[in-house]
Amino acid sequence: MQNLAIAIHGGAGTITPASMTPDLEKAYKSALSHALSKGYQVLEKGGSALDAVELAVALLEDSPLFNAGKGSVFTKEGKHEMDAAIMCGKTMEAGAVAGVRSIRNPVRLTRAILEHSDHVFLCGYGAEEFARKYDIAFEPEEYFYDKHRYKQWRDVRDTDIFMLDHTEDRKFGTVGAVARDANGDLAAATSTGGMTNKNYNRIGDSPVIGSGTYANNDTCAISCTGHGEFFIRAVVAYDVSCLMEYKGYTLQEACDEVVMDKLVRFGGEGGLIAVDNKGNIALPFNSEGMYRGYRTSGDKEGRVSIYKN
């Protein structure tokens, strides 16, 4: 039971105390703490890192506070298109989906793909057909309706503007989890509802293995949150792993170089959560805030944070 570790995130961006009411801050921290606690309990009971990240992300998907699952934003068509990925660091197997519309927990579907498909990445109607085959839960459109999300979309639906999931905060809406279990195995999972008023079936970095999600027992597990186009072009998650594997960087050194230097030079904003094969945690971000939390074997309770300090 040594070196258990789990970290979660609920998005990054311009998240400041001025933009947050006390009640809303309490709600965010409560949702993060719940997902973190349940994920850690899986590890504590001898469960796998894969099980832990799947559960933690599914719980965040069930909350309307985060832009994933139930809280997903509206597309140009007034629909919801969700992306997700999961990866096992032990086997290097992965599952990913893009543009699914009615799946309650896209992360559950990615796990089914990992376990039951010879493919890695499914999208749209085909991914939903696969979901039916493996009894993945669907929900009607009204399940994904949120008054605040609807207003965001209504304000820009007649324009060519696509925007982040919060007009006031400039928040990059993604949820994710990374973990190390008692066997030393790593796993990562990420899920998102994308960008408000997005068109042309746009896909971000979250479901792209190596960009938004990555896990390798030799190095680390990563889940990213930020402006997806930059994270895709910078191959962020895999780049952190490469710096560790080929240059001998520590987890923190690799994360800092990619997030605080390379991404900044690229013009990319956001952050990531990471765990290495020794159970070390890193949660770097170059934005003003990131909804985040972590717990390791040495902590009696998990720790959740929102702002920089």
Side-chain angles (χ1 to χ4, degrees), residues 34 38 43 59 63-64 109 111 166 192 202 211 230-231 238 240 252 292 298:
H34 178 62
K38 292 297 184 182
L43 301 176
L59 290 170
S63 170
L109 177 52
R111 180 69 182 271
H166 282 44
T192 186
R202 176 263 185 191
S211 290
F230 293 96
F231 279 67
Y238 185 58
V240 172
Q252 191 66 55
R292 63 199 186 276

Side-chain angles (χ1 to χ4, degrees), residues 68-273:
K70 184 176 178 63
S72 294
V73 296
F74 287 82
T75 68
K76 183 75 172 177
E77 297 178 325
K79 304 291 185 180
H80 301 89
E81 293 176 359
M82 298 169 285
D83 310 329
I86 195 167
M87 188 167 183
C88 173
K90 179 181 180 180
T91 64
M92 304 293 288
E93 293 175 319
V97 294
V100 295
R101 290 194 167 184
S102 302
I103 306 295
R104 179 187 178 101
N105 293 111
V107 72
R108 301 288 194 197
L109 177 52
T110 65
R111 180 69 182 271
I113 293 168
L114 183 153
E115 292 185 337
H116 304 296
S117 175
D118 292 330
H119 306 304
V120 170
F121 206 163
L122 304 181
C123 72
Y125 175 78
E128 291 166 10
E129 187 176 12
F130 185 90
R132 290 185 181 93
K133 182 177 179 181
Y134 290 97
D135 297 322
I136 301 298
F138 281 69
E139 295 290 349
E141 283 191 23
E142 52 265 30
Y143 171 82
F144 300 96
Y145 176 84
D146 178 81
K147 184 178 180 181
H148 177 61
R149 301 288 195 213
Y150 184 79
K151 182 182 183 302
Q152 290 173 338
W153 171 65
R154 191 181 60 191
D155 290 344
V156 296
R157 65 184 175 185
D158 296 324
T159 73
D160 290 326
I161 297 170
F162 65 88
M163 50 190 262
L164 310 177
D165 76 343
H166 282 44
T167 49
E168 299 87 358
D169 313 10
R170 277 185 50 83
K171 174 176 170 286
F172 300 96
T174 315
V175 303
V178 295
R180 181 194 189 273
D181 62 31
N183 294 320
D185 295 326
L186 305 180
T190 314
S191 182
T192 186
M195 290 184 167
T196 297
N197 209 43
K198 70 177 182 177
N199 207 358
Y200 311 115
N201 305 117
R202 176 263 185 191
I203 299 166
D205 67 298
S206 297
V208 180
I209 301 302
S211 290
T213 308
Y214 188 71
N216 182 341
N217 272 11
D218 290 338
T219 53
C220 60
I222 305 281
S223 175
C224 299
T225 173
H227 198 302
E229 280 66 18
F230 293 96
F231 279 67
I232 291 171
R233 300 203 310 256
V235 200
V236 167
Y238 185 58
D239 205 23
V240 172
S241 175
C242 283
L243 287 171
M244 296 177 69
E245 184 173 2
Y246 300 126
K247 284 197 169 183
Y249 282 32
T250 65
L251 179 69
Q252 191 66 55
E253 288 170 344
C255 288
D256 286 345
E257 177 153 330
V258 174
V259 175
M260 310 308 291
D261 184 15
K262 180 180 179 179
L263 260 181
V264 172
R265 286 187 280 111
F266 246 74
E269 183 183 350
L272 59 81
I273 56 173

